[in-house]
Amino acid sequence: MLALRAFHPSIRRGLHKQLYTNQLPIVRKSLTISGVLVIFWVLSLYGILVGIWWLRLQGYFVTRGEQGGMMNGNRRVAAVALTGHVCDVTMGMVLLPVARNSALSSFFRLSASTTYAFHMIQAYVLFALVVIHGLLYASWVAAYNHARNLTRSPAVFPVLNPTYLYHEVWPGNTSSLGIWRASLIFTGLTTTLIMLAVFITTFPVIRRKHFNVFYFTHLLMIIAVVVICLHASTMFYCTAPGLAMWILDWSMRIYELSRKMDSTLVAVGKGWFCLTVPLPRKRLKGCACHSPLAHFHIHHTESSIREIHPFTTITHLASQKISSSDSDKDIMIQFLFRKSKASRSSTEKSPERRLKREWTNKLADLVDEAATDLSPPSEKAEESDSQRQRLSAQYQTTLRLEGPYFTPANPASYETVICLVAGTGVSGAIAIAAAFRQQPMIEALEPETTLFGQEKIHGAPLERNFSISSFLAPSRATSIWKRCVVVWSVREADYIDLPFWHDTTPGLEVRSFLTGKGRGRVNMEKTIGSIKENGGRTWVYISGPNPFIEAGEKACRQSGVDFFGARWA
């Protein structure tokens, strides 16, 4: 089903059909046909596991308990073992989607928000199963000790590890093997405490305001996985696929982060900054680059040794890859960001101290904004002089770059593309607009893939290795993209005439919607309706704060258009 969804757009649109208008609590996701199928698949897997294991575990523990004279609590200890096996399988599902360089995500064209949503839901299920597993064990210990006191029968099962008999585990067996078997309870408690810490930090109030606490607490799960494999050896076999992908992913990430890159940080004005980085061309080798949306993770030692932050690039990598010469070792890419502002609900002193510690503000403070002309281009200078003054404040720095990670999106398969963006969410819109602007050049220069895994430009064949992109239709064969409209919602105090739209590309339109100081907000449904009134297939890209994305998604559903909401989590 995932393969059909990935390679057949009509099936993908059908599976994305919403079944429930409101978002589900906790996960904050809409219920779609594909979501129902995933739920059915997971429940079916659990049903098969319970059906197979329960009969075997019940027969094993009941028979062994009755042979030792223990008639009560045997089915409960079987339930403890059963929930443990279900935890094994669930842990495997939790680990599968966490790799950034995921072959599953790339092949099946799954966005990061989709894989992280599956990871989050299954992680909550895992924690619930661990709690049930522990409560069943505690209730069995109480029932077992009570039954022994009533019948004054000898110990059959060791309380520390009921999967063995009493004489096989300490204190019934004082050998090193017996002591090792008794460690089951301690490995289980250690893993439970780590999972509890991770569970607490996933609450939105902690995750959003203290993301580093959330992230570094998650790294404790490395210890938890090792310890839980000592708790139950079956856990290793269930988590092996996810662990292998995770180890490969981290190896690739460490390799990419090992290279330092000389970059330029420029103050654009009104708290906006542009970061230019030379990306090694080999990073794009073998990459189809069909999607205009790509993000990187940036590590800047001068701002923080431990923090790595994701940023969407405003550069269209496909056009840069095709237009640049093979002799060029690097491709220049850019990122746009702005300094954080204090929350209105905060006190006067604490926000200033907190903002100085924020990563983006530390990076931005490296540039001397005093030399930047913050006034808009006006009567006092020509446009060229104003632009020169605006870009005069810059800083040379060194950073490390991890990526690129592409978001599955193909705006070229739609006639009209609308970018509903707010604030710094404009980065993705700039990349999409660049893709639209460079579309004729890409169609002229992009190699055409033949049936036998070769590429040719103007009839000249080029040797090429097989890849997944060999079996995909080239973009120029499906491009019907005629119009691109960017609607940028930004506070009037933060607005700046960004130098990325200054051209006269037919079909490209940029609308700046200023908010604040009594101004209204964008009427998204009305905006979408007015743009798509000419007919044709329409796709909407939405980026900005979560409430803005949620409002945009609601408007898209009411307007009956395809859309993508850009969320980091």
Side-chain angles (χ1 to χ4, degrees):
M1 182 58 70
L2 286 175
L4 292 174
R5 172 193 173 278
F7 300 109
H8 293 275
S10 58
I11 294 178
R12 182 164 58 250
R13 287 193 295 270
L15 292 175
H16 282 174
K17 185 177 181 181
Q18 191 178 12
L19 299 177
Y20 183 60
T21 55
N22 298 325
Q23 289 188 331
L24 299 176
I26 301 178
V27 297
R28 299 177 66 85
K29 293 288 183 180
S30 302
L31 185 62
T32 60
I33 294 177
S34 59
V36 172
L37 292 177
V38 171
I39 294 173
F40 176 76
W41 176 79
V42 172
L43 292 178
S44 299
L45 179 61
Y46 285 154
I48 293 171
L49 291 173
V50 172
I52 294 175
W53 281 102
W54 174 246
L55 295 177
R56 297 187 178 186
L57 292 172
Q58 179 184 227
Y60 174 74
F61 284 103
V62 169
T63 301
R64 195 170 63 161
E66 291 177 350
Q67 288 176 352
M70 181 58 61
M71 308 304 295
N72 296 324
N74 297 323
R75 288 181 175 81
R76 198 171 303 181
V77 73
V80 174
L82 175 65
T83 53
H85 285 302
V86 177
C87 286
D88 295 344
V89 176
T90 306
M91 176 68 88
M93 289 191 285
V94 169
L95 291 179
L96 270 178
V98 297
R100 291 176 186 169
N101 296 284
S102 174
L104 292 176
S105 299
S106 299
F107 184 83
F108 293 117
R109 300 185 182 182
L110 300 173
S111 65
S113 60
T114 299
T115 55
Y116 286 149
F118 181 81
H119 165 77
M120 179 182 65
I121 295 171
Q122 287 303 114
Y124 284 136
V125 172
L126 173 63
F127 185 74
L129 288 171
V130 168
V131 172
I132 294 172
H133 180 69
L135 292 176
L136 284 173
Y137 170 77
S139 66
W140 170 81
V141 171
Y144 176 72
N145 289 332
H146 179 69
R148 279 193 59 203
N149 292 333
L150 289 179
T151 60
R152 299 190 180 277
S153 59
V156 178
F157 298 126
V159 172
L160 295 179
N161 190 345
T163 60
Y164 290 92
L165 296 176
Y166 183 79
H167 67 273
E168 296 174 322
V169 180
W170 184 89
N173 183 348
T174 57
S175 65
S176 58
L177 180 61
I179 295 174
W180 168 255
R181 288 169 177 170
S183 66
L184 184 78
I185 182 66
F186 303 108
T187 53
L189 284 173
T190 301
T191 305
T192 302
L193 290 176
I194 294 176
M195 287 186 175
L196 178 61
V198 173
F199 173 74
I200 292 174
T201 58
T202 59
F203 295 157
V205 66
I206 297 177
R207 187 182 73 249
R208 294 172 183 170
K209 294 184 178 181
H210 307 281
F211 182 81
N212 287 329
V213 175
F214 163 81
Y215 178 77
F216 289 106
T217 304
H218 261 64
L219 293 182
L220 293 175
M221 285 303 298
I222 300 173
I223 300 174
V225 171
V226 174
V227 173
I228 202 62
C229 288
L230 299 176
H231 180 80
S233 60
T234 52
M235 178 67 74
F236 174 77
Y237 303 107
C238 293
T239 58
L243 284 174
M245 293 178 60
W246 183 82
I247 292 172
L248 177 62
D249 172 60
W250 266 96
S251 300
M252 296 173 64
R253 290 161 62 179
I254 292 174
Y255 173 75
E256 291 177 345
L257 290 170
S258 63
R259 173 173 173 173
K260 293 182 178 180
M261 302 178 185
D262 296 327
S263 57
T264 303
L265 180 63
V266 177
V268 184
K270 289 190 176 181
W272 291 87
F273 297 84
C274 183
L275 183 65
T276 304
V277 186
L279 177 72
R281 185 182 176 86
K282 62 182 181 181
R283 292 274 187 100
L284 302 179
K285 186 178 181 180
C287 178
C289 300
H290 288 152
S291 173
L293 301 172
H295 69 274
F296 294 77
H297 290 259
I298 301 176
H299 178 263
H300 186 248
T301 308
E302 295 182 55
S303 300
S304 175
I305 297 177
R306 67 178 188 275
E307 295 182 34
I308 302 178
H309 288 259
F311 280 86
T312 299
T313 178
I314 63 175
T315 304
H316 182 223
L317 295 179
S319 58
Q320 291 293 318
K321 177 185 176 183
I322 295 174
S323 60
S324 61
S325 172
D326 291 339
S327 60
D328 297 335
K329 294 183 178 180
D330 298 323
I331 296 174
M332 305 307 294
I333 63 173
Q334 292 181 311
F335 302 92
L336 185 69
F337 69 96
R338 70 181 314 277
K339 297 180 70 172
S340 303
K341 289 187 176 181
S343 173
R344 295 180 182 178
S345 61
S346 304
T347 61
E348 294 182 0
K349 296 183 179 180
S350 59
E352 185 176 353
R353 292 197 300 267
R354 178 176 59 83
L355 289 173
K356 286 183 178 180
R357 296 195 302 268
E358 288 203 6
W359 189 89
T360 51
N361 287 1
K362 288 182 180 179
L363 181 61
D365 287 341
L366 297 174
V367 181
D368 184 12
E369 280 193 281
T372 307
D373 182 9
L374 298 183
S375 61
S378 59
E379 310 82 23
K380 55 191 277 187
E382 297 292 335
E383 182 179 350
S384 59
D385 295 334
S386 175
Q387 183 71 6
R388 194 179 303 111
Q389 291 175 351
R390 176 185 291 175
L391 302 179
S392 61
Q394 57 180 277
Y395 181 82
Q396 301 295 324
T397 186
T398 301
L399 50 78
R400 303 173 191 268
L401 210 60
E402 173 198 330
Y405 300 105
F406 288 92
T407 299
N410 187 19
S413 61
Y414 294 84
E415 294 183 34
T416 301
V417 172
I418 305 172
C419 297
L420 291 177
V421 293
T424 55
V426 72
S427 294
I430 295 174
I432 292 174
F436 180 76
R437 189 166 50 243
Q438 299 295 332
Q439 190 177 204
M441 183 268 292
I442 295 175
E443 292 178 353
L445 297 180
E446 186 180 51
E448 179 182 355
T449 305
T450 66
L451 180 63
F452 300 100
Q454 295 180 329
E455 290 180 344
K456 61 180 181 179
I457 301 179
H458 303 299
L462 299 173
E463 293 298 327
R464 180 177 183 270
N465 295 328
F466 279 103
S467 67
I468 294 303
S469 60
S470 303
F471 302 97
L472 299 178
S475 60
R476 63 178 173 180
T478 57
S479 179
I480 56 174
W481 197 2
K482 303 301 180 185
R483 191 182 183 199
C484 180
V485 181
V486 178
V487 180
W488 182 29
S489 174
V490 60
R491 292 178 182 175
E492 184 179 12
D494 300 334
Y495 172 76
I496 187 171
D497 185 19
L498 294 174
F500 306 109
W501 329 102
H502 296 166
D503 58 20
T504 56
T505 303
L508 177 60
E509 180 182 352
V510 180
R511 304 178 184 179
S512 298
F513 192 94
L514 304 183
T515 62
K517 293 184 180 180
R519 295 175 178 268
R521 298 182 181 273
V522 179
N523 187 328
M524 299 189 186
E525 187 175 0
K526 183 178 179 180
T527 301
I528 295 172
S530 63
I531 296 175
K532 80 179 190 75
E533 63 183 1
N534 295 330
R537 294 185 58 212
T538 303
W539 180 73
V540 181
Y541 170 77
I542 315 167
S543 182
N546 280 335
F548 182 88
I549 295 176
E550 292 172 3
E553 290 175 339
K554 182 178 180 181
C556 289
R557 294 189 189 99
Q558 293 174 346
S559 302
V561 297
D562 295 340
F563 63 90
F564 174 78
R567 288 185 173 89
W568 290 115

